Amino acid sequence: MTDVPRDRASSPTRRTALGGLVGGAGAVLAAGCTPLNASPASARTPSLTASASAPAGNPTPGAMTLFNDQAFNFNGLLALGASGYGAGEVGEVLTAVNAINKAGLSAQTYTETFKALGDQLMEPPQGSKAGMETTRFRALRAAQYYGQALFFVLGSEDPGSEKQLYQAGRGAWDKFCKLCDPAAVTANVPYGKTPLPVWFFRPDASGKRRPTVILTNGSDGQNVDMWTYGVPAALRRGWNALVYDGPGQGQLLFVDQVVFTPHWETVVTALVDWLAARSDVDPGKIALTGLSMAGDLAPRAAAFENRIAAVVAMPGVLAPWLGFPPEIRKILTPDKEETNNVWNKEVVPELPSSAAATMKKRIEPFSVPAMLDAREGKMFTDFYTPARLIESLDITNVVARIKMPTLVLDYDDEQFYPGQPRQMFDKLTAPKDYVKLTAATGAQMHCSPMAPQQHCEVVFDWLQEKLSGR
């Protein structure tokens, strides 16, 4: 290795890196759905009414501020918003919020409160014998609450329980799917050395050929999120819906230990092959959606898989790495040893526990060693390898290959990929539409956490128009 003198004015230092981690308002990690300056291990105790004094321009005014911490608040809003599709219950979520605030907001109190709620819902309700529909939707809500707990478990006192907590949520999801009418078809779709688990939902068991939408999750979502952001909307229109775990997601991450791939077309091609072989799928009407970071993955796949009839990016994402604060991006240099020396010797020793928990969560879908270290309560030592993987997800020079109709969503107060949806739209050469969901109807912020029904109305009405012409 050539020893090149480092320009201390421009190279990363502990001060600049830490400033990006915990100091700058609006600094975010693009790998998922948590602002980087949020505090997964924070012990603050905000009141439910604290929003009354929130600064002007707060993207979650009034009752939308459940917690003063952005990360906890965003996830709480996702659970609350999911109530519209039965994947949450307003009273349950708000009761949990009050309990967490009373105990003192932290990763520990958040994780244990929502896990306990999931455990409770997997049992019959008090005072009655649960019927099938009651059991079904209690399991769906349990999957939501286990997912809430899972998101913050690495910052809790028991990070080693991550896999077991994922499996609890997966068990609840599977129980829900088996009780659907008709039951979701489950299968393992061949993909490399590790098959993709899929859940195929149908409006009925008639076997009629139907349009089908493939619902793609982001970097840290769970299957229950795909229910909220697409399955009922598809079924109500008489379509099939496919939910799946890809590399870096769900079973493939937490159990099989397979991280993200920049070649998402290999994933979607395997799914399209499986769907096209089914007699109840119209192979000319297969659509693809991508939520959160999958606003990068789905367009990447559509650029190479020509059997996709229409694609939706929710939001449009060109380069996930650019969503990281510049102070973090500066740590990455062309040299692995230099990069990791800066990370381990200058940054990690001064990381507050809250920022450390955030970094562990953000990096684990891109590094099995990082995930395993996090489960042992340790910080990963190789920053270079996962950072390079995230960097390789850039599709800036790929989107022009997309040929099918494309919808790009954007949001007021988009906190993870600001500006990127419009940039993607401008680069598209295919038939295209751009829609921005706004605060005027409560649909602001990444993925419209408080308005998933509005979100689905926009997406599925657009898909219905595009698919009806085929």
Side-chain angles (χ1 to χ4, degrees):
M1 182 186 74
T2 303
D3 186 12
V4 180
R6 294 170 57 194
D7 179 358
R8 303 304 293 184
S10 59
S11 65
T13 65
R14 287 176 290 183
R15 181 176 298 276
T16 58
L18 291 175
L21 281 169
V22 297
V28 298
L29 271 173
C33 292
T34 306
L36 182 54
N37 62 324
S39 317
S42 170
R44 289 174 289 184
T45 57
S47 163
L48 269 174
T49 60
S51 59
S53 59
N58 176 17
T60 57
M64 290 184 180
T65 298
L66 308 177
F67 305 106
N68 279 353
D69 186 289
Q70 294 179 49
F72 289 107
N73 196 63
F74 183 80
N75 280 272
L77 291 178
L78 284 169
L80 200 60
S83 299
Y85 285 112
E89 176 81 296
V90 172
E92 290 170 350
V93 174
L94 292 182
T95 298
V97 168
N98 281 330
I100 293 165
N101 281 326
K102 183 177 181 180
L105 176 62
S106 69
Q108 179 64 25
T109 58
Y110 196 98
T111 298
E112 65 186 14
T113 301
F114 274 106
K115 179 185 181 299
L117 186 51
D119 291 342
Q120 176 184 325
L121 288 171
M122 291 302 287
E123 300 294 333
Q126 292 184 354
S128 65
K129 182 178 179 180
M132 187 179 73
E133 278 297 284
T134 296
T135 301
R136 176 189 174 206
F137 278 97
R138 284 173 72 87
L140 181 64
R141 302 202 307 276
Q144 171 72 246
Y145 303 144
Y146 284 132
Q148 290 289 321
L150 177 66
F151 193 91
F152 292 102
V153 69
L154 292 182
S156 76
E157 297 170 4
D158 188 15
S161 66
E162 182 183 52
K163 180 179 176 180
Q164 291 74 25
L165 192 50
Y166 161 73
Q167 290 173 323
R170 168 66 181 271
W173 168 253
D174 284 339
K175 184 174 185 178
F176 167 76
C177 292
K178 289 176 182 177
L179 294 175
C180 288
D181 185 15
V185 175
T186 59
N188 289 307
V189 173
Y191 172 78
K193 296 180 180 179
T194 310
L196 309 173
V198 300
W199 296 264
F200 181 69
F201 294 86
R202 305 155 293 163
D204 56 50
S206 66
K208 177 183 176 182
R209 285 192 182 272
R210 300 178 184 275
T212 301
V213 58
I214 302 172
L215 303 168
T216 307
N217 218 333
S219 71
D220 49 35
Q222 300 304 312
N223 301 127
V224 65
D225 300 321
M226 295 298 90
W227 178 265
T228 302
Y229 284 91
V231 176
L235 296 177
R236 290 169 185 171
R237 287 165 174 80
W239 304 351
N240 304 315
L242 186 74
V243 175
Y244 69 101
D245 286 340
Q249 301 171 328
Q251 178 180 306
L252 268 74
L253 174 65
F254 295 114
V255 178
D256 300 327
Q257 300 183 9
V258 179
V259 298
F260 273 106
T261 173
H263 303 292
W264 207 258
E265 66 275 14
T266 62
V267 178
V268 170
T269 290
L271 299 173
V272 174
D273 287 346
W274 186 82
L275 288 171
R278 292 188 61 88
S279 61
D280 52 0
V281 171
D282 183 339
K285 294 184 178 182
I286 299 175
L288 176 66
T289 69
L291 185 71
S292 190
M293 198 192 79
D296 170 277
L297 305 176
R300 165 75 196 201
F304 295 93
E305 176 46 77
N306 294 323
R307 290 175 292 176
I308 297 298
V311 62
V312 185
M314 314 179 307
V317 182
L318 291 174
W321 182 236
L322 293 182
F324 283 70
E327 294 86 355
I328 295 299
R329 300 201 309 271
K330 286 179 182 178
I331 298 173
L332 180 62
T333 74
D335 184 85
K336 181 176 181 178
E337 183 178 357
E338 179 183 3
T339 296
N340 287 339
N341 277 339
V342 171
W343 173 249
N344 291 304
K345 295 179 181 180
E346 299 188 28
V347 178
V348 173
E350 295 193 16
L351 274 180
S353 61
S354 58
T358 299
M359 286 300 295
K360 292 173 185 177
K361 177 63 180 174
R362 297 276 59 80
I363 294 298
E364 72 169 351
F366 306 94
S367 169
V368 170
M371 179 177 71
L372 298 179
D373 282 344
R375 289 177 177 179
E376 295 181 4
K378 300 186 297 187
M379 177 57 75
F380 58 90
T381 57
D382 181 8
F383 175 85
Y384 177 90
T385 302
R388 283 291 181 214
L389 175 54
I390 300 167
E391 192 178 46
S392 73
L393 296 174
D394 191 318
I395 62 170
T396 302
N397 297 323
V398 172
V399 292
R401 294 178 57 110
I402 297 173
K403 298 295 187 289
M404 66 286 295
T406 303
L407 172 63
V408 178
L409 289 193
D410 199 352
Y411 311 93
D412 276 352
D413 302 307
E414 164 61 45
Q415 68 268 46
F416 305 105
Y417 310 104
Q420 292 201 42
R422 191 76 210 189
Q423 292 166 13
M424 174 182 284
F425 178 78
D426 291 341
K427 288 183 176 295
L428 284 164
T429 58
K432 58 186 180 180
D433 291 287
Y434 171 94
V435 175
K436 190 169 191 177
L437 296 168
T438 71
T441 57
Q444 69 268 42
M445 299 198 305
H446 184 68
C447 300
S448 301
M450 283 293 289
Q453 293 180 82
Q454 288 185 50
H455 198 278
C456 287
E457 289 165 1
V458 170
V459 170
F460 284 86
D461 284 353
W462 182 87
L463 283 174
Q464 190 160 31
E465 177 185 351
K466 300 307 175 185
L467 295 184
S468 64
R470 292 181 66 89

